[in-house]
Structure formats: C-alpha cells, structure tokens
Amino acid sequence: MTLLLAIVVFSCVFVACQTAPQDQSWTEDVVSYSGFQLWSATPRNKTEREFLLKIRQDYELEVWRESRSDNRPVDLLISPDFQTELKLRLADAQIPYEVKIADMQTEINNENPNITDSGTEFENRFSHKMDWNSYHRVDDIYGYLNYLADTYPRLVQLVSVGSSYEGRPLYVVRISSSSSGTKPAIWIDGGIHAREWISPAVATYIIQQLVEVADNERLLRNVDWYIMPVMNPDGYEYTHVNNRLWRKTRSMTGSRCRGADPNRNFGYQWGGKGTSRDKCSEIYHGSNAFSEPETRAVSNFISGKANQIQVYLTLHSYGQYLLIPWGYAVEYPADYNEMRDLAKAAASKFRRYKYTVGNSADLLYPAAGGSDDWAKSIGIKYSYTVELADTGRHGFILPASFIQPVCEDFFPALEVFVDKVATIKV
Ligand code: 0X9
Ligand code: ZN
C-alpha cells in the first residue's frame, strides 16, 4: 500500500501536475491528496499577474479558479513537494497569498458523512437510498430516478438518451403533468464536470421538489421539465472511487491520459480560446466536436426538442455566478440585455448565497465548446451556466452539510424562469 501511494505521488510530481495527480490507467489506484494545499494568491498588477502565470507554468500547477483581474485571487492546488520553494518565491515577489485548505486529503475525508446507515433507513422506508444530507453514488441517484418513474408514472418518465463511454445509461427525467409534450420546457443538467458534486445534488433536489412536493404543482402547470442530474456518470463515479478531483470524461485518448473536458466538447466554436489539444490537459477539447458519447447523446436529444426547450440551465461549481453567453469570447448575443434581466430577476431570489450575474467570458475567462454556448447557438434563448456555491473557502470539496442550504436557496429562483416561458406557444 505504501508503495502504491508512493507510485501515485511520484506520478503526480513528475508527470502531470497541471492536471492534478493524473490518470493511472495502468492500475486502479486511489489518488491521495495528502499534503496537497489550496492556495489563493492575489496579484495586484501586471507584473504580479505575469509572475503567477510563470509559476503556474514552471510547476504545472492545477488552477481551481482563475483570477479575472487585478486584486482578484487565483486558487491553486499545490503539491507538498513544491510548497517550501513556492513560499519563498511568493515571498520574494511580495505576492499575498492565503492557504485556503491546509490538507486536501483531510478536507476530502471530512466532506461526505458515511451514508450507509441513513441509506438503509431510507431504502426500508421508500425503496430508494436518496437524501440530501450526503453526496450519493450514481447507483443511488439512478435508483431514485427509477423509483420516481415507477411511483409517479403519470408525472415522471425516465428516458435513457444513450450510454456513457463505460456503458452507464445517460438518464434524462421528463416531468410533465400532461401526456403530450407540447408545453414550453426547461432543461437542467448537472454533473458535466465530475468533481463538482454539489451540481448533481441540486439537480436531484429539483427533481424531488417538482415530483414529490404537492405545493410545487404550479411549476408544472404550464411548463415541462427535462432534468439530467449526471451528464458525466463515468467521471462522477471515478471521483467517488479513485480520484476525488477528476473533472473530465473517462474515454481513452490513445495516450496515457484519459478523458476530454465535456464542457469544451460541444460543437459551437469548438477548439477555440480556453481549450487545449493536449490530451493530459484539464481542458482537453476532445478529438473533435462531440467526440464524447455523453455530449453527443445530450446534444442529439436537445436538438430534437430545440423548439420546445426555452431555458437551458447547466449546473457547475464553484463561484456563485449566473453566467450568460457567449463564453467562447467576450462577445454578447443580440438579446443579451433580455437574458441579463431574467438572470438578475432569478438572482434576486437567492437569500443565503449572493450570485453575480454577467457575461461568462468577461466574468470568468473565455472558454469555447461549452454546452451553454451550444444551446444558445441552436436557438434556446435563455441559456445559462450556474456556478453554485461556494466562493472558494471549500471550492469543489463543499461539505455535505451545505447541500440542503444550497438547494433550498436555489429552488425558488426557478419560479422566475417558469413565469418567463409559461406563456410561450411551442
Ligand atoms: O470552465 C468551465 O467549463 C466552467 N467553469 S468550471 O469551474 N465549472 O469548470 C465555466 C463555463 C462557462 N461557459 C462557457 N465558457 N461557455
Ligand atoms: Zn464545471
């Protein structure tokens, strides 16, 4: 075991730290983040920005959050091997930084309570293991979706839109109070990025609220819902079993590195800014647009319903943003102001967490091949990326105790989208 860990750490230090401890396709190792830290460094001017960029390149650091302007922090995952050296370099350059997470593995170990007991209790009572007190595996999530389809057949339809690279079903839940799908519809997806666990948790919570809470019936009256809680199930499972910080799909690339970034793989402006042709990069765009079975299946399904779907929401983390296209460059759609007004109305519903609304490339960074841009490009007028909580204290490793507050805060905002599209004739 010690030897295995040593191998894992060795492969990280000397091979591919830009991508965190990289894939070990030659064995089913578990990646340890023992000793890894999350640092937040704040450049105050161009010289400091350039210095940080140089450091990122020198040590092939993984970036959790980009700095978008002076005085905005960049979050960096730092291997224990570089910490002493980097402390000195940052001190020399007088760049302020803060250690946000002192030991990533401890943070990971404390993130998700053991779910065995509550799961069994739930299974006995409800024939499923789902709850929103912990993060669940794909089996629990799919078990819950099947339970809903069986229990509420007039309301819920479980559609398999294809299979993932590793053969898992790609499920979309259709929730409709009428048997014919002629109402305007809202699409929500989660789990494009494997490690952003809060996203499938929020997507499943929305499903639960729409289906099982009678009071929310009014949200179904004039609108149909298509909700896909886990778009990248292979990656999601991999984060539970092997590498908590995995982001991409799990497809073979013909190199030692697996997977493409599904949010660089959609067929609009594919291969543009903020993407990489390096198969080991976290933002590898794939061999061609829609090379990944997951993005292909989703795009085929949505294309077939492009006239019905009026709102496209894709759930990510972290940062607390409602991001408006375009994301491929700092460009604004002709109807940007309408899109912004609706997003602002939605954001005004949040009570606990404050979300910033704005253009994606401007607020974050340009990144082409995103699902939001693609949805907009095929005519879905209200297309947004939601970056859920938090703003960086925990980042991707958001403790499970945050699930309920984040979900409860988010759900009321959906009313704003419903009211907007309910009267549209499709
Ligand atoms: O980089 C991304 O794919 C998203 N951020 S994340 O931290 N969740 O990875 C932002 C995507 C915004 N949309 C586009 N650039 N099209
Ligand atoms: Zn994401």
Side-chain angles (χ1 to χ4, degrees):
M1 187 60 192
T2 321
L3 178 65
L4 273 183
L5 280 180
I7 292 169
V8 171
V9 172
F10 178 89
S11 68
C12 163
V13 172
F14 295 96
V15 182
C17 266
Q18 187 191 359
T19 49
Q22 249 298 330
D23 165 46
Q24 282 76 46
S25 47
W26 36 271
T27 163
E28 279 302 300
D29 284 333
V30 175
V31 176
S32 168
Y33 285 93
S34 179
F36 280 69
Q37 296 189 330
L38 189 70
W39 291 11
S40 198
T42 308
R44 290 161 301 187
N45 50 49
K46 191 159 172 262
T47 319
E48 294 186 353
R49 288 165 75 82
E50 281 168 2
F51 183 86
L52 281 173
L53 209 58
K54 173 89 171 56
I55 278 183
R56 281 163 57 172
Q57 285 159 356
D58 288 354
Y59 297 87
E60 295 190 326
L61 299 179
E62 194 199 332
V63 180
W64 272 27
R65 181 175 54 167
E66 289 283 353
S67 163
R68 64 183 166 93
S69 58
D70 290 346
N71 302 312
R72 298 279 181 167
V74 55
D75 294 349
L76 301 163
L77 183 65
I78 314 282
S79 150
D81 305 81
F82 306 142
Q83 283 161 14
T84 315
E85 212 170 301
L86 279 171
K87 269 177 205 157
L88 290 174
R89 289 191 66 176
L90 288 176
D92 267 359
Q94 297 188 334
I95 295 179
Y97 73 98
E98 189 190 334
V99 178
K100 284 272 179 71
I101 297 177
D103 181 61
M104 190 59 70
Q105 193 56 48
T106 308
E107 194 83 356
I108 290 170
N109 296 344
N110 293 336
E111 177 189 24
N112 205 20
N114 187 336
I115 61 172
T116 325
D117 294 344
S118 65
T120 312
E121 181 208 327
F122 263 73
E123 195 169 29
N124 291 341
R125 276 195 292 148
F126 299 120
S127 336
H128 68 77
K129 292 183 176 178
M130 200 60 194
D131 64 25
W132 288 267
N133 300 318
S134 62
Y135 296 106
H136 287 261
R137 301 279 296 273
V138 164
D139 268 0
D140 287 1
I141 296 176
Y142 283 5
Y144 180 56
L145 303 185
N146 274 293
Y147 159 81
L148 291 178
D150 289 347
T151 314
Y152 308 94
R154 288 156 56 106
L155 208 59
V156 179
Q157 235 186 308
L158 194 53
V159 188
S160 175
V161 299
S163 294
S164 70
Y165 184 83
E166 292 176 343
R168 295 183 175 86
L170 299 170
Y171 281 136
V172 173
V173 181
R174 175 176 179 270
I175 306 169
S176 172
S177 56
S178 68
S179 46
S180 63
T182 48
K183 296 180 201 165
I186 295 178
W187 167 282
I188 299 174
D189 63 60
I192 288 195
H193 287 142
R195 64 188 172 191
E196 298 166 11
W197 283 6
I198 189 64
S199 152
V202 170
T204 50
Y205 178 86
I206 294 167
I207 295 170
Q208 188 270 337
Q209 287 288 308
L210 293 175
V211 176
E212 302 204 279
V213 178
D215 226 29
N216 291 323
E217 192 272 330
R218 69 206 146 79
L219 298 173
L220 307 178
R221 213 166 289 148
N222 301 310
V223 168
D224 289 339
W225 298 78
Y226 293 99
I227 305 180
M228 182 181 211
V230 198
M231 197 194 287
N232 172 15
D234 298 348
Y236 185 71
E237 277 299 278
Y238 196 71
T239 61
H240 278 267
V241 178
N242 299 92
N243 181 350
R244 175 62 189 87
L245 295 180
W246 190 256
R247 167 179 166 96
K248 299 186 283 183
T249 61
R250 290 293 300 158
S251 56
M252 301 278 198
T253 60
S255 80
R256 69 187 160 78
C257 297
R258 284 173 77 152
D261 182 344
N263 215 30
R264 304 290 181 277
N265 192 240
F266 281 75
Y268 182 71
Q269 299 283 334
W270 178 85
K273 284 183 194 163
T275 75
S276 173
R277 68 166 68 128
D278 172 0
K279 292 168 177 167
C280 292
S281 165
E282 290 285 41
I283 50 170
Y284 172 50
H285 50 44
S287 55
N288 46 268
F290 300 123
S291 59
E292 307 309 287
E294 296 82 5
T295 56
R296 204 158 53 234
V298 167
S299 61
N300 285 338
F301 182 80
I302 294 180
S303 298
K305 303 206 163 357
N307 290 334
Q308 192 197 356
I309 296 174
Q310 306 294 325
V311 173
Y312 174 89
L313 295 179
T314 179
L315 306 178
H316 289 251
S317 72
Y318 57 98
Q320 292 169 212
Y321 293 106
L322 291 185
L323 300 173
I324 306 168
W326 301 103
Y328 72 87
V330 187
E331 298 281 348
Y332 296 78
D335 55 356
Y336 179 82
N337 287 354
E338 281 173 77
M339 299 183 74
R340 185 204 50 208
D341 291 349
L342 188 63
K344 287 211 157 152
S348 75
K349 294 277 180 184
F350 300 129
R351 290 286 165 266
R352 196 185 278 252
Y353 302 94
K354 185 185 168 307
Y355 284 64
T356 307
V357 174
N359 170 265
S360 173
D362 183 29
L363 277 185
L364 291 191
Y365 39 75
S371 66
D372 50 0
D373 278 9
W374 174 79
K376 180 72 184 165
S377 79
I378 65 159
I380 300 178
K381 183 176 172 72
Y382 296 107
S383 169
Y384 305 94
T385 290
V386 182
E387 297 282 1
L388 294 159
D390 61 10
T391 55
R393 162 63 189 88
H394 301 283
F396 301 119
I397 315 299
L398 193 68
S401 56
F402 283 72
I403 299 173
Q404 294 221 3
V406 172
C407 289
E408 286 166 12
D409 199 48
F410 184 77
F411 188 75
L414 293 177
E415 205 167 37
V416 171
F417 296 105
V418 169
D419 290 347
K420 185 73 187 178
V421 301
T423 54
I424 297 174
K425 291 262 174 299
V426 292

